Amino acid sequence: MKHILVGMVVMVLAGCGGAVNTMKTAEVSENENQLISALSEETFVYGIEHENLEKPYLNIWIEEYVYGEKQEEHLMMHSTERTEGTGSGPEDGRLYLSIQGQAGDNNRKSITIIHMDNGGYTTSEFDAEFGKEVDMERMSRTYSTELGESVDFSDEAEVVIGVMQYTDNASTVRGVVPEALNGGNVRAEALFEENPVSYLIKAQFSSEPRT
């Protein structure tokens, strides 16, 4: 299923089209949305402009919080390098982070990152056990992503580009978007302190790859 997702996304998007590094939530075409809906449980889609080659690495990772306490290990890491030969401009970069449930197991998810750049692509895949501390069958989930053009990626800032939450009641948390966490006035530890398990998707343009 993962390889089918990668191949079909690449085929569908083959025709899509001062130095800055930015990322924002991307608009999704009808064909693209149909493909995503058919092959994944949830997908975050971003447009990337990566022109400042003094920060050639794009790092994407997921942090886990249990009742507001950040866990020591990140859930996954995806790091790619951009060079002079890989093109430039916002139309050249596109990133997909897809979450797909595994049949018969509500706790286990497959996460796939597809990073398209100037006609080529790189992928990272990870099989995760979400919410291992809690009964996921009783959880209500919230996925959110709302990344505008004003997010500051300079100085190797670690930017929240998406949120995944699982709550232990029927009313899901509303209005939790990356802007609230990136603005400096909301801390994940306080925001998630009543949630059994929550995840932040983070991105960074840097001079070195993260591991």
Side-chain angles (χ1 to χ4, degrees), residues 2-186:
K2 297 176 189 174
H3 298 292
I4 293 175
L5 172 63
V6 172
M8 293 185 68
V9 166
V10 170
M11 286 189 293
V12 167
L13 299 175
C16 297
V20 295
N21 294 334
T22 63
M23 180 184 300
K24 63 180 180 180
T25 306
E27 294 185 4
V28 180
S29 68
E30 182 177 350
N31 288 342
E32 192 176 1
N33 189 56
Q34 290 176 353
L35 175 63
I36 288 170
S37 299
L39 295 177
S40 67
E41 181 178 321
E42 184 72 22
T43 298
F44 296 83
V45 184
Y46 308 94
I48 301 170
E49 183 174 357
H50 193 166
E51 295 183 342
N52 180 4
L53 298 185
E54 293 183 358
K55 309 292 183 183
Y57 289 94
L58 171 60
N59 305 310
I60 310 289
W61 70 98
I62 301 177
E63 295 178 353
E64 180 180 20
Y65 293 78
V66 176
Y67 289 108
E69 182 178 349
K70 182 180 175 182
Q71 303 304 289
E72 185 174 347
E73 297 292 332
H74 51 254
L75 201 61
M76 74 176 298
M77 176 65 66
H78 175 87
S79 184
T80 59
E81 181 182 15
R82 190 180 186 88
T83 65
E84 290 286 357
T86 57
S88 62
E91 69 280 8
D92 290 332
R94 203 157 173 87
L95 184 136
Y96 301 80
L97 190 146
S98 295
I99 306 162
Q100 179 63 42
Q102 296 187 6
D105 192 338
N106 291 325
N107 290 69
R108 298 198 66 82
K109 309 285 185 181
S110 297
I111 303 174
T112 302
I113 287 180
I114 306 172
H115 180 196
M116 301 184 67
D117 189 15
N118 199 33
Y121 68 91
T122 57
T123 66
S124 291
E125 298 175 350
F126 182 78
D127 289 329
E129 185 175 2
F130 282 71
K132 53 185 176 294
E133 305 293 333
V134 296
D135 180 6
M136 293 296 284
E137 291 186 3
R138 297 180 54 249
M139 298 299 102
S140 59
R141 71 182 182 218
T142 299
Y143 296 135
S144 66
T145 176
E146 186 178 319
L147 196 67
E149 298 184 15
S150 61
V151 180
D152 183 8
F153 277 95
S154 63
D155 298 322
E156 306 204 6
E158 299 181 4
V159 175
V160 178
I161 63 173
V163 179
M164 299 181 286
Q165 294 178 289
Y166 295 86
T167 65
D168 58 1
N169 56 64
S171 60
T172 57
V173 179
R174 302 293 181 184
V176 179
V177 295
E179 282 79 355
L181 291 162
N182 291 326
N185 57 349
V186 177

